[in-house]
Amino acid sequence: MQRFQFHPIVARWFEEKFGSPTEPQELGWPAIQSGGHTLIAAPTGSGKTLAAFLASLDQLFRDGLAGKLRDETRVLYVSPLKALSNDIHKNLEEPLTGIRAALLAGEGRLIEVRAEVRTGDTPASKRQAILRKPPHILVTTRNLFICC
């Protein structure tokens, strides 16, 4: 996994959890990490979601280790269905928790990368909390206007 240039602890977490990358991950990560627009089309269960998110998670955790992780939304995932947005959030919790724990054990630092879901059913109190302290990753079904 070193050719993908992940932080060593992120790479080790992935290898311990999944072994080797799937083809969509192997082909997608270099393009994603180079900053290029990337489309990954592959069958269900092929690792597309983690292919899309791991490069972003790696950068967010690196920024946290460097003291540069601000309270702002940096990744926006727009889902066509509320159920899918909840699944995506649930699937993000495993790498967030695993990488956070690995960095705490390996670097002795707790880096809080946050993900939240915002749908039409999100209570007003939760929407206000998201505005006060934006998650780094926002999963939504809503059209949002984001400015400045």
Side-chain angles (χ1 to χ4, degrees), residues 2-133:
Q2 291 305 330
R3 68 185 172 279
F4 302 118
Q5 317 230 346
F6 290 118
H7 186 282
I9 291 175
V10 173
R12 190 174 328 114
W13 170 82
F14 180 87
E15 288 170 353
E16 289 173 1
K17 181 74 183 162
F18 298 102
S20 59
T22 64
E23 184 179 19
Q25 293 164 344
E26 211 165 304
L27 296 174
W29 284 331
I32 294 167
Q33 289 180 322
S34 74
H37 296 283
T38 307
L39 174 64
I40 299 174
T44 300
S46 62
K48 291 185 303 286
T49 301
L50 193 55
F53 279 115
L54 194 60
S56 296
L57 292 175
D58 180 72
Q59 188 59 56
L60 290 166
F61 279 109
R62 283 177 187 263
D63 289 351
L65 288 169
K68 297 179 182 178
L69 185 61
R70 299 181 354 199
D71 286 336
E72 63 185 10
T73 299
R74 303 241 315 257
V75 178
L76 179 64
Y77 184 98
V78 181
S79 169
L81 303 169
K82 179 183 171 193
L84 180 58
S85 64
N86 288 326
D87 286 347
I88 293 295
H89 183 256
K90 182 180 157 218
N91 290 337
L92 272 171
E93 284 305 312
E94 184 176 14
L96 284 170
T97 301
I99 295 168
R100 188 179 299 124
L103 284 169
L104 182 59
E107 299 274 337
R109 301 200 31 222
L110 180 62
I111 307 300
E112 274 302 318
V113 173
R114 297 180 310 279
E116 294 288 347
V117 173
R118 163 75 160 87
T119 69
D121 296 339
T122 301
S125 60
K126 178 77 174 211
R127 291 193 308 264
Q128 290 301 313
I130 288 172
L131 287 173
R132 279 191 303 278
K133 190 169 186 175

